[in-house]
Amino acid sequence: MIAPNFRPLEAETSSFVIELSQFTGPLDLLLSLIRDEQLDIYDIPIARIAEQFLARISTLGLDEAADYLEMAARLLRIKAQMLLPRADGEESWEDPRAELVRRLLEYQQMREVVDLLERRGEERRHQFPRRFIPIAADITPLNAPLSLSLGELLAAVDRVLRTTKEPKIHEVVPRALDVAGAMVTVRAVLAMRRHAQWTDLVGRDAEPWQILSVLLALLEMAKMGELRIAQSRAFASVEIRRDAISEAA
Amino acid sequence: MTPLAKLLEAALFAAPRPIPLTALEALDQESSPAAVAAALDELREHYDVDGHGVELVEQGGGWQILTRAEFAEAIERAQVAVRPHKLSAAALETLAIVAYRQPIGRAEIEEIRGVAVGSVLKSLHERNLIDIVGRSEGIGRPLLYGTTPQFLEQFALRHLEELPRADELAIALRGAGNTAVVPE
């Protein structure tokens, strides 16, 4: 297929991928050949162009070359038609290249538009609009509601209960301290005698909340200056007496 | 600035896309279209004369505030914004054909480009640069494609009419069938 006058392509075509990315299609390749050879688009030496075209596509892989092969076939048919003898003065002779030329011109015109779009697009790519990030419309909806029968639900509850241990229940009874009540008791005791012992205020069988109430009542009354708490030595019994100052006041 | 110019500025600032003139005119019932046009001029001058980092441009079927091109590199370097990807040559060719011949079917595009364009059409459609605008009456009722407002915006076009008419291009085609070939 390759003509003897075929000019070998330079190193640039060593790789098929590079070659393919160079042209966007058979018309692009054809135009570039015409341009390289400085040919008149209206009077294409079809035999020469066809040979060069074939040489170029021979470097392409078969799959990707389908469009190119179709064009090659077209060129060869035109070449054959050009070789057919025609009668002198035949009016109705139509140049077999006419359709190809029309397509090439149309393609060239489209390329002109491409240049224009490329220019405009490049300019625009240098300008940024304000970026609009829409707020997510809604929280992603929850999964679809469960659908199960009462029996399934009870069975599930049963399974859960069987795996859990019997719970231990602690009953905590709240019992508030009665500081005010304890203060009344302390005052009553001190009204009868000038001083008292801790054991005079707290009975033997007192509950913890009663002991705490008396202790807090004593501290509170000492703070208010109603009584004084004294201890002669460490671990000696605590002596409680009415405060002389508050008594005087 | 006049209150109307400020109102336009606020709307243009808030908008993610170019705002069509009709929408700008609807912002203030009291203002006439002429007043809106004057306010737009005022706003544009404000950005141009006072020296701002942004400018007011008319494109993509409306008006939009854009950063000035001179800052593109710095903005990109700081990763504040990213330039949209360039289209491949094949995609641009297809887009150019759709822009000029819309509504147009796939077969017609392939006839002009000389290659199959299925995947290119798909990617242009995904990028919202073309859309399906109808179906041809031809066999199999093939889909017809047209360009979108996004196309205008991405190529800084006010409207489709801004593209040069086919007969204004350097290579003007003569009527179909009447080829320019001179018989030998």
Side-chain angles (χ1 to χ4, degrees), chain A residues 24 26-27 42 95 103 105-107 109-113 117 120 122 124-130 132, chain B residues 13 16 55 59 67 83-84 86 93 97 100-101 111-114 155-156 162 166 169-171 180-181:
Chain A
T24 61
L27 286 162
Y42 296 106
D95 195 319
R103 286 189 64 187
L105 288 174
E106 193 175 40
Y107 181 77
Q109 188 183 48
M110 185 272 301
R111 287 297 292 262
E112 213 179 312
V113 177
L117 288 182
R120 301 294 294 258
E122 192 52 34
R124 178 57 183 75
R125 283 177 71 243
H126 284 81
Q127 292 191 285
F128 301 111
R130 202 174 78 83
F132 173 70
Chain B
F13 176 78
E55 63 180 320
Q59 61 167 45
T67 62
R83 256 178 249 198
K86 256 187 176 171
E93 283 189 7
I97 295 167
Y100 268 79
R101 301 285 180 86
E111 161 72 15
I112 297 171
R113 280 198 55 214
F155 290 92
E162 209 186 333
L169 296 170
I171 301 154
V181 178

Side-chain angles (χ1 to χ4, degrees), chain B residues 147-184:
Chain B
T147 54
T148 61
Q150 174 88 38
F151 161 77
L152 294 176
E153 196 184 333
Q154 198 156 321
F155 290 92
L157 296 163
R158 266 176 285 241
H159 34 68
L160 279 173
E161 292 71 41
E162 209 186 333
L163 289 171
R165 288 209 317 273
D167 58 8
E168 288 169 349
L169 296 170
I171 301 154
L173 289 184
R174 303 180 194 177
N178 176 18
T179 64
V181 178
V182 182
E184 282 172 300

Side-chain angles (χ1 to χ4, degrees), chain A residues 5 21 26 34 44 67 82 85 102 110 137 165 171 182 195 203:
Chain A
N5 65 344
S21 68
I34 289 167
I44 302 166
D67 297 319
M82 295 287 283
R102 187 194 63 77
M110 185 272 301
K165 287 181 190 165
E171 234 186 296
H195 54 88

Side-chain angles (χ1 to χ4, degrees), chain A residues 186-203:
Chain A
V186 171
R187 274 193 202 108
V189 170
L190 286 179
M192 294 186 288
R193 31 183 156 165
R194 201 175 164 78
H195 54 88
Q197 302 262 309
W198 171 254
T199 46
D200 296 326
L201 300 172
V202 183

